[in-house]
Amino acid sequence: MWSLLLPLLLGALAGAEVVQFQPCPQSSEDSTPPAPNCTVHEVRISPCAEAAENKPCKIKRGRSASIQFDFTPTVAVDAPTGRAFWTNQVGDLPFVGMDTNACNFTTCPLAAGTRQTYDYQLSISKKFPVRAYDVKWRLWNEQTDVLECCFIAKIKLTK
């Protein structure tokens, strides 16, 4: 069975493009930033032919995009939450309709010091305006706030 699944998995990963991302900024309320408790190593988005030129990924409204990222938490977490946000100077707007149970998209419980992959199919509504967006992706523990994986990637919605 693995001999059949491995080529499919490798083909899916090969189609995803590594994109530039930035870590989320610390809150202005934090006088001393906490020690990082999660490292995001790589972010992949498919489709994203623009990644080779370090441009925002063009995604057609009404379609889905595959968002994958590799991360290593420094703390163990049983039930993390994951969510995408449209972020700007005014604040963060959560992406409506997402399944926020991160265990559906990565292996749970999260083990401290173990590199993992988060894989989500993000549906883009036709109702979203055509424009460029900064998308913030957060992975955290709602019960204790001890885990915070967070990055921002750029996309551009098209017709």
Side-chain angles (χ1 to χ4, degrees):
M1 182 165 122
W2 282 108
S3 62
L4 294 173
L5 290 176
L6 188 58
L8 290 175
L9 179 62
L10 292 175
L13 288 175
E17 299 293 336
V18 176
V19 299
Q20 295 293 317
F21 69 95
Q22 61 188 26
C24 295
Q26 291 292 322
S27 168
S28 59
E29 299 168 4
D30 295 339
S31 58
T32 56
N37 56 22
C38 181
T39 300
V40 177
H41 303 284
E42 184 174 90
V43 177
R44 295 174 298 280
I45 299 178
S46 179
C48 190
E50 300 76 21
E53 300 172 14
N54 291 329
K55 292 183 178 178
C57 299
K58 289 183 181 177
I59 301 171
K60 289 187 177 188
R61 295 180 309 164
R63 303 253 173 106
S64 293
S66 171
I67 312 285
Q68 299 171 328
F69 62 93
D70 299 331
F71 67 99
T72 302
T74 61
V75 294
V77 176
D78 289 330
T81 298
R83 182 180 284 280
F85 299 84
W86 306 121
T87 188
N88 58 50
Q89 289 93 3
V90 178
D92 298 337
L93 296 172
F95 199 95
V96 179
M98 282 187 68
D99 180 351
T100 60
N101 180 355
C103 293
N104 292 332
F105 310 102
T106 192
T107 304
C108 285
L110 301 183
T114 302
R115 187 172 174 145
Q116 294 187 225
T117 299
Y118 190 98
D119 188 354
Y120 192 90
Q121 290 294 316
L122 185 64
S123 297
I124 307 294
S125 171
K126 286 186 176 186
K127 296 178 182 179
F128 290 134
V130 171
R131 62 173 289 231
Y133 292 90
D134 288 342
V135 176
K136 177 189 281 187
W137 201 284
R138 286 186 66 215
L139 180 63
W140 77 101
N141 182 347
E142 275 188 299
Q143 286 76 32
T144 63
D145 266 351
V146 296
L147 172 71
E148 174 76 16
C149 291
C150 188
F151 65 88
I152 298 172
K154 296 181 180 298
I155 65 169
K156 184 173 184 178
L157 299 187
T158 64
K159 290 184 180 182

